[in-house]
Amino acid sequence: MSKHFTLDKFEEEASGRRNVFADESKDANRIFWEHVCRTNSCAFLYGSDLTGTACSEDAGKWNLEKFSNDSLLGMIRSSGDPDICGVNLPMLYVGHAFSMFGWHIEDNALYSLNYMHKGSAKTWYGVPGHEAQKLEKLAKSLFEQKDDLSCRLYQKLSMISPNLLLDAGIPVYELVQRPGEFVITMPRSYHSGFSHGFNVGEAVNFALPEWIPYG
């Protein structure tokens, strides 16, 4: 279901909801998974894949669009091909408490640069790129009776507990991103996560020479 909000109205909607993550003395990771397991669902609003940027033009090298086009992806623009939203053009992500993004890798196994402009923290999980096939094998065993695996992973529809991955011998790393911080994901590195409350993030892809074998 789609709804239309201004950013202020979205923040107002978020502040009107009980935020179970508000007490930072409690483990957000435990709260999230206990809630998911207890209810078997999560109701939340998430403004995802919104074309645009909140970076000012004078942000210099940390203007995400400039950063992407200073990488190998700049050849897309110099060759006259159209810009690609979410690849060499940034996208914005506006979250609520429990807004989640399922396990996925970036298009064409690119790097990604993710910046948080403001709001509550966001928990990220990451699996190294060389372990990607193990995660895909586990996901297939979990979801093969439900629907197409590639569709679920491509559309970020699958949340798998880090404990399940660890039990399967797949290393998982966790970090908490706060306003003013960047998160970089590596080629073929599966990642997922959730927001602790209202926040505004921005992301773009980029490519280094080391990416070429993946691409």
Side-chain angles (χ1 to χ4, degrees):
M1 179 178 65
S2 297
K3 293 185 178 183
H4 296 275
F5 292 93
T6 64
L7 186 61
D8 288 342
K9 285 293 185 182
F10 195 93
E11 185 173 7
E12 183 181 311
E13 170 76 13
S15 64
R17 296 186 175 202
R18 174 173 168 263
N19 186 355
V20 297
F21 300 111
D23 184 354
E24 293 196 1
S25 67
K26 296 183 178 179
D27 179 10
N29 186 56
R30 177 179 57 79
I31 291 171
F32 176 81
W33 288 104
E34 283 182 353
H35 185 88
V36 170
C37 293
R38 184 171 64 251
T39 64
N40 203 32
S41 66
C42 269
F44 59 86
L45 293 174
Y46 189 23
S48 65
D49 299 331
L50 306 174
T51 304
T53 179
C55 292
S56 63
E57 290 189 5
D58 61 0
K61 65 182 179 181
W62 293 118
N63 177 305
L64 267 66
E65 181 177 346
K66 183 178 185 302
F67 182 92
S68 177
N69 283 290
D70 282 346
S71 78
L72 295 181
L73 292 185
M75 290 188 290
I76 295 176
R77 182 165 290 171
S78 63
S79 68
D81 289 335
D83 291 327
I84 305 170
C85 293
V87 178
N88 65 336
L89 288 180
M91 282 186 164
L92 290 165
Y93 298 84
V94 186
H96 271 198
F98 289 106
S99 296
M100 66 180 81
F101 51 102
W103 288 101
H104 68 287
I105 59 174
E106 298 300 306
D107 294 337
N108 296 310
L110 287 161
Y111 292 83
S112 74
L113 180 67
N114 305 267
Y115 180 71
M116 183 178 288
H117 288 281
K118 69 173 187 176
S120 299
K122 182 183 291 184
T123 291
W124 289 72
Y125 304 115
V127 169
H130 63 269
E131 301 284 358
Q133 287 186 324
K134 288 184 181 178
L135 186 146
E136 291 165 355
K137 183 179 179 179
L138 175 63
K140 183 176 182 181
S141 71
L142 293 172
F143 301 121
E144 63 182 351
Q145 301 302 321
K146 298 182 180 180
D147 48 29
D148 181 64
L149 171 65
S150 61
C151 177
R152 288 189 67 90
L153 294 178
Y154 179 74
Q155 296 183 0
K156 310 177 189 178
L157 296 175
S158 300
M159 287 297 288
I160 304 171
S161 166
N163 287 338
L164 285 176
L165 297 175
L166 292 170
D167 289 344
I170 302 169
V172 184
Y173 298 88
E174 176 189 348
L175 66 83
V176 177
Q177 181 189 25
R178 294 181 172 84
E181 296 179 347
F182 291 90
V183 171
I184 292 175
T185 69
M186 306 298 282
R188 285 283 288 162
S189 173
Y190 273 95
H191 48 283
S192 68
F194 63 91
S195 293
H196 300 190
F198 171 79
N199 55 31
V200 179
E202 183 171 343
V204 76
N205 291 125
F206 67 98
L208 302 176
E210 292 80 2
W211 163 80
I212 290 175
Y214 295 93

